[in-house]
Amino acid sequence: MALLTTDMQDKLMALLTDEGLVSKASLDKAKEESEETKRPLFELLADKHIIDDEMLTHAIAQVSGVPYVNLTNSLISQDVLNLLAEDVAERFMAVPLAEVQNRLAVAMVDASNVQAVDYLSNLIERPLKVFMASEAGVRHVLDQYRTDLSTVDEAAEVSKQEAEKEEAGNIKTIVQDSPISRALSTILEYAVKSRASDIHIEPLESALKIRCRVDGVLREVMQLPKAIEPALVSRIKILSNLKIDEHRIPQDGQFAVKVANKEVDLRIAISPVVWGEQVVIRLLDKSGASFNIEEMGYAGRALRAVRKGIHRPNGMVLTSGPTGSGKSTSLYALIQEIKNDTVNIVTLEDPVEYKIAGVNQIQVNPEVGLTFATGLRSILRQDPDIVMVGEIRDDETANLAVQAALTGHLVFSTLHTNSAAGVLPRLLDMKIEPFLIASTVNTIIGQRLVRRVSPKRDTYQSNPIETQNILATVGHLLPKTPAEVAQVSADLGYKDLPLAGQNAYTLVKGKDTPATPRGYSGRAGLYEVMDVSEAIQQLIVAHATTSEIQKQAVAEGMITMRQDGYLKALQGITTLEEVNRVTADTA
């Protein structure tokens, strides 16, 4: 932190209290402690979390007359980073931001260090435009030096030359510091920092394509020479404890890495394809998991229906949706909601994605005969109150889950269907008697994940087609008069809903930046929650179709996924385009 004169410290204290960032009482108490301990006042304020680093840096920049920049979420181009060597950047805690009119914009922790600014200016032979940034922000950019994908290209070229020297083209050993190891580490680090959920390594006829799934959408990162494929796949197999010499059948494995001070579990799936072996790596970030159902996007009627279902003493709570729609995360959140010392919770998962303290989690292992069905039989002898079955995949597991619900257990599980209503006919397909379904299933959740609009955004008024779609989808749900706004907003769980019947509605669109591709950052859930009422039970017994059950649920007040998505778009959480994309296959 820059050294401040007494005059500047006084100005800074006045700014903090005037802006309401720090109370006068807290400041006076900290000043007394600072005088007693001889510690700098602002260092003390930061350590006590009275003011955070970013806020303090912004305030110091303001009183120092230096422009401030927040770098905690910034992504800097590798071309720009190359303008200042990493060792120099780290020594002076100064990072390049962009080139502006032959000047280099640089962010520094100590922007008032004139000697350092002059040295850097002479070193790169051009004038600087200096900004002040927090230490955390500068370190975030320094980390990006180590995720330069050009190093993967270099490693690929070295490996290609080595491969050409191998007569058999079969790499038998790969040492830890080999170019391939460094390339794999860089790809993993890039994926983690890009918030990717999956990495796809796909062999083509004459190249190796690397793609990452960010916020649910795949995008190509780079293409590597075909020659490095055997070495890269072998390295992944070694780390996953898989058979290196097996290329004919699929293999699954896992390992954990620490990347950017985060523990990340990796699930590996390797399959033989026409041009080689495809590798899909699922990244599970332990530190970033949120299992709060409200933060995940449950709101209003859906939230109330879910809480009602999970607090019943027995029965089934089922989640549905396609692969990658967040079903397992929903189950973890529901367990987190009701977990306490008075209940015994046992889960059966494939794989155990997140470990939860106080929950007895069992990993399915078909190779030794531990399937969902055999595991479920064992679980019921362990005196459980709540049972979670990762997925109901076959008739036997479905029957056992129903029997568990009938014998006084609360059962959580998932099924692959397009909507909540589709779960009931799916259970019929699994040869479960209609009267058993009607008497055991309490609550069904249908869900999808949409990309969130990034914080850097613009607002605009909906065009006539968008307005028409909004009115057709949620017009009947919106308040009719200003007097109804508070009541309807509380009922649906969204703040300050606009009135129905307007000619245009305010929507948001994110700004497309390297850190927020197409204007999106992060994901939120769209949910429809069906409470199985007496009327729906009668439809089940009568072998009703999915559409008939859906119609009855909507008549009873269920908000569909598409409606939930449109309400979230009106709240500025996502866009209509994104909602339409993920709910195209729902009713």
Side-chain angles (χ1 to χ4, degrees):
M1 189 181 295
L3 292 173
L4 300 173
T5 64
T6 305
D7 183 49
M8 287 174 70
Q9 287 191 38
D10 292 340
K11 285 182 181 178
L12 183 53
M13 287 187 285
L15 177 67
L16 292 173
T17 50
D18 289 348
E19 295 288 333
L21 300 174
V22 180
S23 68
K24 193 171 185 307
S26 297
L27 198 57
D28 289 342
K29 189 176 178 182
K31 281 169 71 176
E32 287 178 18
E33 189 174 337
S34 171
E35 289 166 5
E36 288 174 10
T37 60
K38 307 299 181 187
R39 287 186 65 194
L41 172 62
F42 299 107
E43 183 182 301
L44 203 63
L45 288 171
D47 285 353
K48 288 180 172 293
H49 304 292
I50 295 171
I51 182 169
D52 67 39
D53 232 13
E54 214 58 54
M55 197 185 297
L56 183 57
T57 304
H58 193 177
I60 292 172
Q62 204 165 327
V63 299
S64 304
V66 178
Y68 160 81
V69 62
N70 186 335
L71 298 176
T72 50
N73 293 309
S74 296
L75 193 64
I76 308 300
S77 161
Q78 291 295 335
D79 291 337
V80 173
L81 291 178
N82 291 339
L83 297 173
L84 191 63
E86 182 184 358
D87 59 334
V88 176
E90 194 149 15
R91 180 158 37 114
F92 290 97
M93 290 301 287
V95 291
L97 304 178
E99 290 183 280
V100 184
Q101 297 174 341
N102 202 36
R103 299 174 76 192
L104 183 63
V106 173
M108 301 178 68
V109 171
D110 186 3
S112 60
N113 188 334
V114 179
Q115 290 87 353
V117 173
D118 286 344
Y119 176 82
L120 292 172
S121 181
N122 290 329
L123 183 68
I124 62 175
E125 299 178 342
R126 70 172 77 181
L128 303 181
K129 170 69 175 172
V130 180
F131 292 81
M132 185 177 287
S134 67
E135 183 176 344
V138 169
R139 291 202 180 280
H140 173 73
V141 176
L142 285 172
D143 284 342
Q144 293 173 34
Y145 277 99
R146 291 180 278 279
T147 51
D148 181 0
L149 288 174
S150 64
T151 61
V152 180
D153 287 322
E154 292 166 14
E157 189 57 37
V158 172
S159 181
K160 182 181 176 183
Q161 291 167 6
E162 290 174 354
E164 287 170 353
K165 293 175 186 176
E166 290 279 346
E167 289 181 5
N170 194 11
I171 298 174
K172 291 182 170 54
T173 58
I174 303 168
V175 293
Q176 185 63 33
D177 60 349
S178 69
I180 284 299
S181 294
R182 293 197 300 273
L184 179 59
S185 297
T186 304
I187 291 170
L188 291 175
E189 195 157 343
Y190 175 84
V192 169
K193 290 181 178 176
S194 301
R195 299 174 292 100
S197 59
D198 301 87
I199 303 169
H200 289 236
I201 301 172
E202 301 168 333
L204 306 177
E205 185 177 6
S206 56
L208 191 66
K209 184 162 70 174
I210 312 292
R211 295 196 290 172
C212 289
R213 188 181 295 279
V214 179
D215 295 335
V217 178
L218 273 171
R219 65 172 189 247
E220 186 174 326
V221 174
M222 65 190 310
Q223 287 200 11
L224 299 174
K226 179 73 172 175
I228 79 159
E229 181 198 334
L232 188 60
V233 175
S234 294
R235 181 66 192 151
I236 293 168
K237 285 180 178 178
I238 289 169
L239 292 169
S240 310
N241 292 320
L242 301 177
K243 296 176 182 176
I244 302 177
D245 57 348
E246 180 56 79
H247 307 289
R248 301 163 300 169
I249 60 173
Q251 296 189 77
D252 295 332
Q254 65 183 71
F255 64 96
V257 292
K258 191 167 186 179
V259 177
N261 295 320
K262 292 181 179 178
E263 279 189 34
V264 182
D265 278 345
L266 306 177
R267 302 279 184 262
I268 312 299
I270 301 178
S271 302
V273 293
V274 174
W275 301 115
E277 289 181 279
Q278 180 192 28
V279 182
V280 177
I281 303 174
R282 168 67 58 89
L283 294 92
L284 301 170
D285 183 355
K286 296 178 182 178
S287 62
S290 169
F291 297 131
N292 181 297
I293 57 177
E294 291 183 50
E295 288 178 11
M296 288 167 60
Y298 287 94
R301 296 175 188 174
L303 182 62
R304 292 191 291 273
V306 164
R307 284 185 167 149
K308 177 184 173 185
I310 65 177
H311 285 100
R312 287 178 176 171
N314 53 53
M316 296 177 76
V317 176
L318 301 173
T319 64
S320 67
T323 301
S325 60
K327 300 187 298 298
S328 297
T329 306
S330 278
L331 291 184
Y332 283 119
L334 299 183
I335 284 176
Q336 194 73 36
E337 178 91 359
I338 59 174
K339 176 174 72 77
N340 61 60
D341 288 339
T342 66
V343 292
N344 177 25
I345 303 173
V346 186
T347 75
L348 195 61
E349 305 171 59
D350 184 20
V352 176
E353 294 186 358
Y354 296 100
K355 297 174 181 66
I356 303 176
V359 177
N360 302 297
Q361 296 171 275
I362 299 172
Q363 168 77 53
V364 167
N365 188 354
E367 290 182 9
V368 297
L370 181 54
T371 63
F372 278 115
T374 56
L376 193 47
R377 284 195 188 92
S378 171
I379 282 175
L380 296 178
R381 293 192 290 272
Q382 295 175 24
D383 185 33
D385 298 293
I386 298 165
V387 175
M388 182 186 112
V389 182
E391 186 182 345
I392 295 177
R393 294 177 179 172
D394 53 53
D395 299 1
E396 188 180 8
T397 307
N399 185 58
L400 286 167
V402 167
Q403 294 302 320
L406 283 170
T407 53
H409 304 92
L410 185 60
V411 179
F412 294 157
S413 193
T414 68
L415 281 96
H416 286 275
T417 60
N418 285 338
S419 64
V423 165
L424 303 170
R426 179 81 182 96
L427 289 173
L428 287 173
D429 289 342
M430 291 181 166
K431 300 181 177 60
I432 305 299
E433 292 294 338
F435 69 90
L436 290 177
I437 300 172
S439 57
T440 56
V441 179
N442 298 336
T443 308
I444 306 169
I445 303 165
Q447 65 183 79
R448 296 287 189 282
L449 292 177
V450 290
R451 290 175 291 177
R452 288 180 179 269
V453 177
S454 67
K456 292 182 179 179
R457 56 178 62 188
D458 294 316
T459 59
Y460 70 97
Q461 295 299 302
S462 59
N463 62 40
I465 294 175
E466 289 172 329
T467 303
Q468 185 180 347
N469 287 338
I470 290 169
L471 293 174
T473 306
V474 296
H476 63 291
L477 298 174
L478 299 176
K480 307 295 185 295
T481 65
E484 295 178 4
V485 170
Q487 181 183 344
V488 174
S489 294
D491 183 39
L492 295 178
Y494 297 106
K495 296 178 183 176
D496 304 320
L497 288 169
L499 297 178
Q502 294 185 18
N503 294 324
Y505 291 90
T506 302
L507 301 172
V508 297
K509 188 173 185 180
K511 293 184 177 179
D512 190 3
T513 69
T516 57
R518 298 186 182 179
Y520 296 105
S521 177
R523 289 197 283 180
L526 306 185
Y527 304 98
E528 58 184 25
V529 181
M530 180 188 296
D531 192 13
V532 180
S533 65
E534 190 174 330
I536 291 175
Q537 287 176 346
Q538 290 172 0
L539 287 174
I540 296 167
V541 173
H543 290 266
T545 63
T546 300
S547 59
E548 290 172 332
I549 294 169
Q550 175 95 352
K551 187 176 179 182
Q552 178 61 34
V554 170
E556 293 176 3
M558 183 183 82
I559 305 298
T560 67
M561 280 184 279
R562 184 181 287 263
Q563 289 171 340
D564 189 37
Y566 272 57
L567 292 172
K568 283 183 165 77
L570 291 172
Q571 293 293 300
I573 296 171
T574 188
T575 63
L576 294 183
E577 178 187 19
E578 182 68 1
V579 174
N580 291 334
R581 179 181 72 85
V582 302
T583 61
D585 60 342
T586 63

